[in-house]
Amino acid sequence: MKRRTWILSALGATGALVVGWGVMPARSRLGGADVMPPTEGDVALNGWIKVTADGGVILAMPRSEMGQGIHTALAMLVAEEMNVPLSRVKLEQAGPSKIYGNVAMFVGSLPFHPLESEGGNKPALVRTGEWMVGKIARELGVIVTGGSSSVADAWNPLREAAATAKASLVEAAAAQWGVPAAEVVAMAGKLSHKSGKTAHYGEFAKAAAGTTPKSVTLKDRKEWTLIGKPAQRSDIPAKTNGTARFGIDVRQPGLLFASVRMSPMLGGTVKSLESKVALAMPGVERLVSLDSVAGSTAGFAVVGKTTWHAKQAAQAVEVQWDQRAAGALDSQRIDAELLAHIKTDKGTAFYTKGDAAKAEASAKKVIEAVYHAPYLAHATMEPMNCTAQVKDGKVEVWAPTQVPEMAREVAAKVAGVDVDKVTLHVTLLGGGFGRRLEVDSVAQAVRVAMATSPRPVQLLWSREEDMTHDFYRPMHVASLHAAVDADGAFQSLRIQSAGDAITPRWMERGLPALAGPFDTPDKTTAEGLFDLPYGFANQQMTHVATRMGVPVGFWRSVGHSHNAFFSESFIDELAAASGKDPVAFRTTLLADAPRYLAVLQLATSKAGWGSKLPEGHAHGVALHESFGSIVAQVAEVSLKDGVPRVHQVFCAIDCGTVVNPDTVAQQMESAVVFGLTAALYGKINIKDGVVQQTNFPTYPMVQLAQSPVVQTFIVPSTRPPSGVGEPGLPPIAPAVGNALFALTGKRLRSLPLVA
């Protein structure tokens, strides 16, 4: 009943319960040819596909490339269905049409247990919830890159668009040649007939435009020549020869440069400032006040001829800051408050099975543990930046963003123009990890561009501003309990966690029109706790959603990033308490979860689990599902002078159908290194409202010499594709922590693992 209430309240909060929707067909995502902007010589066949005069293909790209290889993966889907070489598929930025909205990400946000929501026998509640949210997402058409959902979302719509385009070309050729369409062969970007007639796609594009093919059939899996095969990523050549354009590479005629300086106290304001000396410095143009927009902290920007001029002048401004009205934030105090919440608050039940309380009441003993995870910054390689120009009542923006339409909306709001007066160019992203789901730097850039109009301005944050004014991964704590009966068997698993909910805060900042009047339960708070595959007869997972005042946002793998550490470390604790091998213990609990067991067995067999390791080395294991994909990791760890060294990570993944196996391996390696940095070192401390970590010396990264060898093994699958960019991160912290326990006998229950 609770989950029914969640779904209905969530739908009601977004105004989605519309009378008559039950009989409305799903919004088509094919789109008409008019959706793609016309370019000379090119012909649009639908909202996704253009054909060039020389027979090449142009794909409308609605997803942002931030290193995850999505530009290549989606191009592979098109090349496969249209039977063209991958090199012949070019990209252009998709426009604001709703057909490009990310449906899969919103459906994936539903708080259903994965063992309930997969397969052909889904409960009615799951089917109804997915159908309704899918319908809402199609109507809203929110264009966003996130949630490891890009391939999953494109899997059917994009292949259907490509197959439809090919079918239109085939029928156009058949009509012109006077032959049956079934006899026309499409291969390598050309159409041919057994009579000897042949021509490339471009020669029939005009005839095919505006027609609806009589028959469209997706290629059978056994006919695939690209999907599932390694392919070189299309973004690599430009990134290696220096021609790739990231946000900070934008150079427009007459460009000015702006450097920001915001209140060092989170949520603080400017009390007073003196800029006379700063404005008299060479190369300095002006100072622009910045209030709190799109969740940003108030401050100011200094504009100069170069970033160096602007930055030096910004530091020369004499300023006094005021603390936020609600008082200074402090991370130690917040940790104590969260501990109090899990002890005294009831929380929201995300999953209940059997009666955990009854099992504990009759247990011989109850094993308990409390785990902690700190705030974390994103620390993207490319600091926050945006280039903007306000001229003749229009706004033009160049931004590395994961949410192009939200960026357009905030630009229009700040400039006081209609959104159709805003043109947005999405550049490559020098790292995203969820940070570029925010549009605070876009709002600031447009505010400054209004002052420099008609000249464009590039606003760039320093690393220090970037680190101390992030939207952080929330601090969370969790209390875990397991009841053991007189025979030593585990009868229940009960988990209560506490920490801020991300989604409501993000909605308030970026989609205020859709933010409800109250906080509905946010899956991200409890994912990785309520959705475990282990077969405990009695289970209860609850979360206390808090609002501590620290700006929080989506961080790579979101709630899974810390909840996997809580749950998989505790499962290891239970194995140790029962005197069982950690893999054998998990195996007994996975009798009803064969996909999970297969992934666990693959990783442990490749790692040689149970075999002799070098002296002073130990294995740790963790198994976790996130974003529809199951990942198991075995970490080989040693200790030297009390410092952990991770030598190897054996990683197995079931992510459904694989489009590009090379990208899967790259993303597992990326996630392991990113997650290992957080596991060993990552921590944001806040004192007197001020973030103490300001740059990499105080927020260290795993260096190349410290990086483990990562071997990736993919479970063959015919299921639709699921996430790849994030699922490799959650298991690494518990795998390393469990290995350290095997080495030392000491259980580490707080992140980071290195004090």
Side-chain angles (χ1 to χ4, degrees), residues 326-619:
L329 294 161
D330 183 276
S331 51
Q332 285 190 342
R333 176 183 55 77
I334 291 172
D335 184 66
E337 288 186 22
L338 294 178
L339 283 171
H341 278 297
I342 61 173
K343 292 176 181 178
T344 60
D345 290 17
K346 184 178 180 181
T348 299
F350 276 78
Y351 185 71
T352 301
K353 176 184 176 183
D355 192 332
K358 183 178 179 180
E360 287 183 23
S362 61
K364 181 179 180 181
K365 67 175 179 178
V366 176
I367 299 174
E368 302 179 28
V370 176
Y371 281 78
H372 302 250
Y375 290 107
L376 288 181
H378 293 83
T380 59
M381 181 67 73
E382 177 188 27
M384 298 304 291
N385 69 91
C386 178
T387 302
Q389 183 175 30
V390 178
K391 182 180 179 182
D392 300 329
K394 297 181 180 179
V395 181
E396 193 163 8
V397 175
W398 296 261
T401 179
Q402 295 174 243
V403 281
E405 290 313 294
M406 286 171 58
R408 288 181 74 226
E409 291 280 355
V410 77
K413 179 180 179 181
V414 170
V417 300
D418 293 335
V419 73
D420 61 3
K421 300 295 184 183
V422 178
T423 300
L424 177 76
H425 309 276
V426 179
T427 67
L428 292 172
L429 283 59
F433 314 126
R435 178 59 179 94
R436 289 183 160 94
L437 289 167
E438 308 291 344
V439 292
D440 48 336
S441 60
V442 176
Q444 290 178 337
V446 173
R447 179 66 49 82
V448 177
M450 293 171 67
T452 63
S453 178
R455 295 181 67 180
V457 62
Q458 182 176 103
L459 180 139
L460 174 65
W461 290 18
S462 66
R463 176 63 64 190
E464 288 76 13
E465 294 291 345
D466 189 88
M467 192 78 74
T468 57
H469 294 91
D470 204 343
F471 292 94
Y472 302 96
R473 187 192 76 173
M475 175 183 284
H476 273 227
V477 299
S479 176
L480 301 96
H481 311 75
V484 185
D485 65 15
D487 297 324
F490 289 95
Q491 295 299 314
S492 69
L493 177 65
R494 181 171 62 86
I495 304 173
Q496 171 118 318
S497 57
D500 281 15
I502 299 169
T503 304
R505 307 292 81 78
W506 179 73
M507 295 282 281
E508 289 168 357
R509 294 191 296 265
L511 294 169
L514 299 179
F518 53 89
D519 286 357
T520 55
D522 180 5
K523 177 187 175 182
T524 68
T525 59
E527 59 191 7
L529 297 177
F530 82 88
D531 44 7
L532 302 178
Y534 300 116
F536 293 93
N538 303 285
Q539 300 181 39
Q540 184 182 48
M541 285 74 177
T542 58
H543 180 81
V544 180
T546 58
R547 195 164 185 169
M548 293 299 175
V550 176
V552 295
F554 297 105
W555 191 92
R556 191 174 185 177
S557 77
V558 204
H560 294 286
S561 67
H562 45 83
N563 288 337
F565 173 68
F566 301 162
S567 59
E568 279 299 284
S569 298
F570 190 64
I571 292 295
D572 226 62
E573 287 202 51
L574 301 185
S578 63
K580 294 182 179 178
D581 172 84
V583 173
F585 181 75
R586 286 172 171 82
T587 299
T588 62
L589 294 171
L590 294 172
D592 296 325
R595 283 186 66 212
Y596 293 80
L597 182 58
V599 177
L600 177 66
Q601 291 174 335
L602 179 59
T604 53
S605 65
K606 293 296 184 181
W609 183 269
S611 62
K612 185 174 177 59
L613 294 174
E615 184 70 23
H617 289 225
H619 274 158

Side-chain angles (χ1 to χ4, degrees), residues 29 35-36 47-48 60 62-63 94-102 142-143:
R29 296 183 67 186
V35 173
M36 294 190 75
W48 296 85
R63 304 292 174 251
S97 173
K98 290 182 178 181
I99 67 170
Y100 307 126
N102 191 331
V142 179
I143 301 174

Side-chain angles (χ1 to χ4, degrees), residues 1-13 17 111-112 125 348-349 518-521:
M1 288 301 296
K2 289 184 184 298
R3 280 185 287 165
R4 286 191 180 91
T5 303
W6 295 346
I7 292 170
L8 292 176
S9 63
L11 297 180
L17 292 179
F112 293 131
L125 175 62
T348 299
F518 53 89
D519 286 357
T520 55

Side-chain angles (χ1 to χ4, degrees), residues 298-311:
F300 59 88
V302 173
V303 180
K305 292 181 179 180
T306 69
T307 297
W308 178 254
H309 287 104
K311 183 176 180 180

Side-chain angles (χ1 to χ4, degrees), residues 29-95:
R29 296 183 67 186
L30 182 63
D34 60 323
V35 173
M36 294 190 75
T39 48
E40 187 175 353
D42 302 335
V43 178
L45 300 184
N46 53 54
W48 296 85
I49 304 295
K50 281 182 185 175
V51 174
T52 64
D54 64 355
V57 174
I58 297 176
L59 163 64
M61 176 54 64
R63 304 292 174 251
S64 301
E65 178 61 71
M66 47 190 165
Q68 81 279 38
I70 195 60
H71 283 184
T72 304
L74 298 195
M76 288 176 71
L77 300 184
V78 171
E80 182 70 81
E81 285 298 333
M82 290 196 71
N83 283 347
V84 297
L86 181 58
S87 61
R88 295 286 282 158
V89 180
K90 306 302 180 185
L91 310 178
E92 72 175 33
Q93 183 181 328

